[in-house]
């Protein structure tokens, strides 16, 4: 199974600039005048230019808002050097939202991109979270 991540932005050029600078994504191609395909490792991301205050569901009762918003799903980017990744993200326009949290061999900092989407930068001391696993 392949997972593709779609991210709404109100300005495609600014979205490309942010994600290539802040998170070392590579612009693969412009698919249309309002869609860009980016790559980070083996992951693919699609920036979708959508005007602010347009309905994001077919029912039309909820509208896009590019101020900081909360959703129960967000993206974690695993990085080799948290300090350097934080510098790149903030230089590109990310807003840092918390102090560094250390948990089970990881260090994590939460950010918001210029379009209101939350994301985390995580550095592991090993390959993943350390500690015993619970079994069901």
């Amino acid at each position: 199974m392949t997972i593709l991540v779609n991210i709404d932005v109100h300005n495609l050029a600014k979205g490309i600039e942010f994600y290539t600078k802040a998170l070392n994504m590579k612009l693969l191609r412009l698919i249309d005048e309002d869609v860009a395909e980016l790559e980070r490792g083996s992951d693919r991301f699609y920036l979708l230019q959508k005007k602010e205050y347009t309905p994001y569901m077919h029912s039309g009762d909820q509208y896009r808002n590019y101020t900081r918003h909360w959703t129960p799903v967000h993206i974690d980017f695993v990085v080799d050097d948290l300090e350097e990744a934080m510098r790149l993200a903030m230089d590109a326009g990310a807003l840092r939202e918390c102090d560094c949290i250390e948990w089970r061999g990881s260090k994590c900092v939460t950010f918001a991109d210029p379009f209101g989407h939350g994301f985390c930068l995580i550095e592991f001391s090993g390959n993943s979270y350390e500690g015993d696993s619970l079994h069901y």
Side-chain angles (χ1 to χ4, degrees), residues 40 77-85 107 122-124 126:
R40 185 175 188 268
F77 294 96
V78 177
V79 298
D80 293 327
D81 182 338
L82 183 60
E83 292 297 322
E84 176 65 8
K107 294 185 223 175
I122 297 178
E123 179 184 328
F124 290 115

Side-chain angles (χ1 to χ4, degrees), residues 78-79 103-107 122-133:
V78 177
V79 298
W103 180 72
R104 293 187 171 255
S106 71
K107 294 185 223 175
I122 297 178
E123 179 184 328
F124 290 115
S125 59
N127 292 329
S128 185
Y129 298 105
E130 296 175 353
D132 295 330
S133 298

Side-chain angles (χ1 to χ4, degrees), residues 29-136:
R29 63 186 172 139
L30 296 175
I31 296 175
D32 214 340
E33 62 188 29
D34 57 358
V35 178
E37 181 179 24
L38 294 94
E39 176 182 65
R40 185 175 188 268
S42 62
D43 301 318
R44 295 287 170 97
F45 296 81
Y46 294 87
L47 300 181
L48 312 174
Q49 183 170 283
K50 304 285 185 178
K51 291 182 180 179
E52 191 164 20
Y53 306 119
T54 56
Y56 65 85
M57 295 177 55
H58 294 291
S59 65
D61 61 349
Q62 295 186 28
Y63 300 88
R64 285 179 180 82
N65 181 339
Y66 291 109
T67 59
R68 180 64 171 112
H69 55 270
W70 180 86
T71 177
V73 177
H74 68 272
I75 304 169
D76 290 346
F77 294 96
V78 177
V79 298
D80 293 327
D81 182 338
L82 183 60
E83 292 297 322
E84 176 65 8
M86 288 174 22
R87 185 189 64 75
L88 289 172
M90 290 187 293
D91 285 352
L95 299 174
R96 183 175 174 168
E97 296 184 329
C98 73
D99 292 331
C100 182
I101 298 168
E102 295 189 32
W103 180 72
R104 293 187 171 255
S106 71
K107 294 185 223 175
C108 176
V109 179
T110 302
F111 294 87
D113 75 5
F115 311 97
H117 308 299
F119 68 92
C120 296
L121 297 176
I122 297 178
E123 179 184 328
F124 290 115
S125 59
N127 292 329
S128 185
Y129 298 105
E130 296 175 353
D132 295 330
S133 298
L134 300 176
H135 299 282
Y136 289 95

